[in-house]
Amino acid sequence: MTGNRRALALSMGDPAGIGPDLALAAWTNRAELELPAFLIIGDLAMLAERAELLGLDVPLVETSPEDAVAKFGIALPVLPVALAKPVIAGTPDPANAEAVIEAIRLAVELTTASRTRAVVTNPIAKSVLYASGFGFPGHTEYLAHLASETAGHPVMPVMLLAGPDLRVAPVTIHIPLRQVAEALTTQMIVETAGIVARDLASRFGLKAPRIAISGLNPHAGEDGALGSEDADIIVPAIAELQAAGIQAFGPLPADTMFHAEARENYDAAICMYHDQALIPAKTLGFHDSVNATLGLPFIRTSPDHGTAFSLAGKGEARFDSLVAAIKLAAKMANTEAETKILHALSRV
């Protein structure tokens, strides 16, 4: 089975959050939104109860991944993963953490086995998973663990925030700001930018992507007056990237690299820490940006927001970001397949 004959694998996320609401609403509007087929991995009873709570007429059908595309037009395909306890919308329960994790694992397993096209993950609440003994900082790290198990070697994931006006990736992610300067290395920047450049070519169809590299300190260090890290760590990374044939440039002052005219000069930006990247990404595209994890042997996207427990079950949550994540996952899968075909033909 290839291409559009396979569905996307969508994990349910935290069942007490808005993930189920978004999936149900997206399916309800599938024709108008021109959505590709997706298979939600989650609890059937929970989804039925949530649809009733939201007043949505969503027929649910338990199905295999192979039959999901055929069923998608008439019902929301579900691959069941049973929850341990009934769900109250807006009230997370660590007792259900195991099922949340299993839904993610299954999505990866199915996609790795080419039974589904890509992984799309609904939001999880890390604190809820931690209470059950979850040993990873977040979604991305767990996905990298699963990928490493399959590949047989460590896999480096890169978080790319992709919106209609900006693509940006942080080098360091979930660490305290005071630790960034100590953690940052030339090799980390080279590896992050290299993965972004490679995946922009293979999964986004950009043959020679232009990569802007931010500085760490204000004004990119002001020639050393505001810190030596830009000259000592970032400049050598850019030189190494350029020597490898990657169109990287910088370091650029982060306060002037995200306005409209500046963004015309690059296809993606690499920033040195979490908020330096995510503040402009969420400012420019809060409702329609997508979190795409690059560097994995499978495609993974996710809405760029959290569980929003306060909105769960109320019909107030916007599904823009999930819709964007679904569409981007399908587009990336199509582009990757086309790239592989062209590569194979070029070797004949």
Side-chain angles (χ1 to χ4, degrees):
M1 300 177 67
T2 58
N4 295 336
R5 294 174 59 196
R6 290 179 293 153
L8 304 170
L10 173 64
S11 64
M12 65 179 166
D14 193 300
I18 61 172
D21 306 40
L22 304 180
L24 292 163
W27 183 86
T28 301
N29 294 276
R30 65 199 179 283
E32 176 186 346
L33 296 169
E34 299 181 340
L35 286 183
F38 59 85
L39 168 75
I40 186 166
I41 304 173
D43 187 279
L44 265 167
M46 177 274 294
L47 290 166
E49 290 171 3
R50 189 64 59 84
E52 183 177 1
L53 181 63
L54 294 169
L56 297 175
D57 181 16
V58 181
L60 305 169
V61 57
E62 179 178 341
T63 185
S64 68
E66 289 74 16
D67 293 332
V69 173
K71 302 286 181 62
F72 187 75
I74 57 173
L76 176 58
V78 181
L79 185 67
V81 172
L83 295 168
K85 292 179 65 175
V87 174
I88 299 174
T91 305
D93 191 335
N96 287 323
E98 185 175 340
V100 172
I101 296 166
E102 177 63 6
I104 300 168
R105 190 197 67 78
L106 272 175
V108 171
E109 179 183 288
L110 293 172
T111 303
T112 301
S114 297
R115 298 179 68 191
T116 50
R117 299 171 68 196
V119 175
V120 181
T121 57
N122 264 314
I124 59 173
K126 290 174 284 189
S127 60
V128 178
L129 300 188
Y130 295 157
S132 72
F134 186 64
F136 300 90
H139 240 145
T140 301
E141 293 82 1
Y142 180 54
L143 290 164
H145 167 72
L146 295 174
S148 297
E149 283 190 331
T150 300
H153 57 78
V155 171
M156 177 180 169
V158 171
M159 175 194 295
L160 179 77
L161 277 296
D165 298 310
L166 176 67
R167 300 185 192 96
V168 61
V171 176
T172 62
I173 307 178
H174 297 125
I175 63 173
L177 184 58
R178 60 184 173 83
Q179 295 178 11
V180 169
E182 293 180 0
L184 193 66
T185 67
T186 296
Q187 190 59 30
M188 287 173 64
I189 298 168
V190 170
E191 290 180 354
T192 299
I195 288 170
V196 170
R198 183 197 69 197
D199 281 16
L200 285 180
S202 65
R203 292 176 171 174
F204 287 78
L206 299 173
K207 293 183 179 180
R210 302 162 299 164
I211 309 296
I213 312 290
S214 81
L216 171 66
N217 297 298
H219 304 168
E222 197 74 78
D223 292 326
L226 299 176
S228 62
E229 293 87 358
D230 300 273
D232 294 346
I233 299 173
I234 303 174
V235 169
I238 295 169
E240 189 171 336
L241 289 164
Q242 291 173 343
I246 294 173
Q247 296 189 57
F249 62 95
L252 304 176
D255 63 344
T256 58
M257 65 182 288
F258 296 111
H259 62 84
E261 291 86 351
R263 296 196 309 272
E264 292 178 357
N265 297 315
Y266 58 82
D267 299 300
I270 307 297
C271 290
M272 297 303 110
Y273 56 92
H274 183 277
D275 284 12
Q276 193 182 50
L278 270 67
I279 287 173
K282 293 190 175 186
T283 299
L284 290 169
F286 186 78
H287 293 294
D288 48 11
S289 285
V290 175
N291 179 357
T293 305
L294 307 185
L296 302 177
F298 52 85
I299 291 166
R300 180 264 180 153
T301 65
S302 180
D304 183 27
H305 57 66
T307 50
F309 291 121
S310 63
L311 299 179
K314 297 179 179 178
E316 299 174 1
R318 294 178 56 159
F319 55 62
D320 309 56
S321 190
L322 177 62
V323 167
I326 290 170
K327 289 187 173 183
L328 180 60
K331 184 176 180 180
M332 290 172 67
N334 289 342
T335 302
E336 184 176 60
E338 292 167 2
T339 300
K340 288 179 178 178
I341 291 171
L342 291 173
H343 181 68
L345 290 173
S346 69
R347 300 176 63 182
V348 174

